[in-house]
Amino acid sequence: MINKKLLIIAAACVLLSACGQNAAQTPHQSATQTHEAKTPPSSPPAKTENSNPSGKNETGSSESSTSGQSQPTDSKQEVSKPPAVKYHMNKAYNIVPNEEGTESKVVLLTFDDGPKKKEWINSIIDVLDKHHAKAIFFVNGYRVKENPDLLKLIHDRGQPIGNHSWDHISLKSEPLAKVTKQIVDVQNIVKEVTGASPVFFRPPFGEGGEVGRKVAREHRLLYMTWSNGSLDWTLKSKDKATNPDKVIKNVLDQLHPGANILMHELPWTVEALDTLLTKLEEKGYHFVDPASISVEPAAGG
């Protein structure tokens, strides 16, 4: 009888011990499972394609970090690389591809005699940005000295700057010392204001002479005039209502692949620009980035 009671007590103790172990393990297992659910897996492999490289949703606003995808933590932005050199300028001042297969139906946009007015500059660059275009702004030193903030505006908005001499005088008959000063002083003031010196030189009136070519070459400047003149500088304020159409017609009448288009910071050119660039695009033309043009002169040029 006593042995039977002892057996019953022993069995009860074994059952109680087993229940106690289960009760102790259950909270630990539950916490572990909860932690595993909250801990993200290791970072997935980087995607080879990005169907939305802008990082914006269809409404145009930046995507929220709650989208379910991990967001980059590196605050450094990618530095865009300069475009490859794909073009050169020939002796006729046209822009020509270096290799077959490179787009040849291109034009180079340029603006001379600035910087003049903030509103004109901003309007021009707004249109350039709209059409994803770059243009060389050929500046005069005396104007930069008067309005260095306007030169900085052009630079800060990402447009290249060219050298158009200090005083906008014809250089073809001037002595070496004077031509050198006219060019070098612009190089210096542009670098002082923007931190970079121009790599393109256009002589006023297209008159640089052999001395102008020599000085430009010595300072590693690509010497150019133009191959398509808008004739905007010949138009008069009294005809301002019709001047924009004249600017457009003048450019389109001379249009050809590689055209080096000369324009100025003038009110009718500013007004004509958006329509002009639209018409050029409709004709299948692209706007060459000046940074993709070799600054070495054409053979024999």
Side-chain angles (χ1 to χ4, degrees):
M1 185 66 176
I2 293 173
N3 289 340
K4 188 174 181 181
K5 288 181 178 180
L6 289 174
L7 287 172
I8 293 170
I9 292 170
C13 289
V14 170
L15 288 172
L16 289 172
S17 175
C19 290
Q21 287 179 354
N22 288 339
Q25 288 176 352
T26 300
H28 173 73
Q29 290 172 340
S30 177
T32 301
Q33 290 166 354
T34 302
H35 174 73
E36 289 174 351
K38 289 182 178 179
T39 303
S42 58
S43 299
K47 292 182 179 180
T48 57
E49 290 184 342
N50 184 353
S51 60
N52 185 12
S54 67
K56 294 186 175 182
N57 59 28
E58 292 180 357
T59 64
S61 60
S62 298
E63 287 183 343
S64 167
S65 60
T66 59
S67 62
Q69 296 182 353
S70 60
Q71 301 297 311
T73 56
D74 190 353
S75 60
K76 293 181 180 178
Q77 295 181 346
E78 267 189 40
V79 178
S80 58
K81 295 181 180 179
V85 175
K86 297 180 179 180
Y87 298 90
H88 64 276
M89 193 184 66
N90 66 14
K91 289 186 286 185
Y93 306 113
N94 290 314
I95 307 305
V96 182
N98 292 339
E99 299 177 356
E100 288 187 15
T102 300
E103 178 61 61
S104 62
K105 206 170 181 182
V106 297
V107 296
L108 174 64
L109 305 173
T110 68
F111 294 89
D112 283 15
D113 297 359
K116 291 181 178 177
K117 291 187 178 181
K118 182 177 181 179
E119 56 266 35
W120 292 354
I121 292 169
N122 274 324
S123 293
I124 289 170
I125 299 178
D126 284 346
V127 173
L128 294 174
D129 288 348
K130 175 182 175 181
H131 292 269
H132 308 288
K134 299 287 185 183
I136 304 173
F137 285 75
F138 284 101
V139 300
N140 297 123
Y142 80 93
R143 291 188 185 276
V144 173
K145 186 177 180 180
E146 292 171 356
N147 295 291
D149 56 314
L150 296 183
L151 183 76
K152 192 170 188 305
L153 171 64
I154 296 169
H155 175 75
D156 289 349
R157 293 201 61 180
Q159 297 294 329
I161 294 164
N163 186 325
H164 198 41
S165 85
W166 188 272
D167 288 311
H168 200 277
I169 59 173
S170 174
L171 302 175
K172 67 178 180 179
S173 301
E174 298 293 343
L176 175 61
K178 187 168 184 178
V179 173
T180 300
K181 184 171 177 57
Q182 284 286 317
I183 293 174
V184 171
D185 284 358
V186 175
Q187 293 294 98
N188 292 340
I189 196 170
V190 171
K191 185 171 184 179
E192 180 184 331
V193 173
T194 69
S197 298
V199 296
F200 302 106
F201 171 68
R202 173 176 283 160
F205 316 107
E207 299 174 348
E210 287 306 313
V211 175
R213 290 177 182 275
K214 178 179 182 294
V215 174
R217 187 164 54 248
E218 288 174 350
H219 291 273
R220 300 192 62 80
L221 285 158
L222 180 63
Y223 179 105
M224 70 170 75
T225 61
W226 57 90
S227 62
N228 182 318
S230 67
L231 302 179
D232 57 356
W233 65 96
T234 67
L235 304 177
K236 307 299 181 183
S237 297
K238 64 183 179 64
D239 301 319
K240 62 182 179 180
T242 58
N243 283 346
D245 289 338
K246 292 175 184 175
V247 171
I248 294 167
K249 183 178 186 303
N250 289 337
V251 171
L252 296 183
D253 284 351
Q254 304 169 66
L255 185 61
H256 59 274
N260 184 340
I261 302 174
L262 167 62
M263 296 176 282
H264 293 78
E265 288 180 33
L266 291 168
W268 38 86
T269 306
V270 173
E271 186 177 341
L273 190 60
D274 189 24
T275 300
L276 173 60
L277 299 194
T278 299
K279 287 183 178 293
L280 291 172
E281 289 171 325
E282 289 171 351
K283 291 179 179 293
Y285 280 84
H286 301 265
F287 309 115
V288 68
D289 187 336
S292 69
I293 302 171
S294 170
V295 296
E296 298 299 323

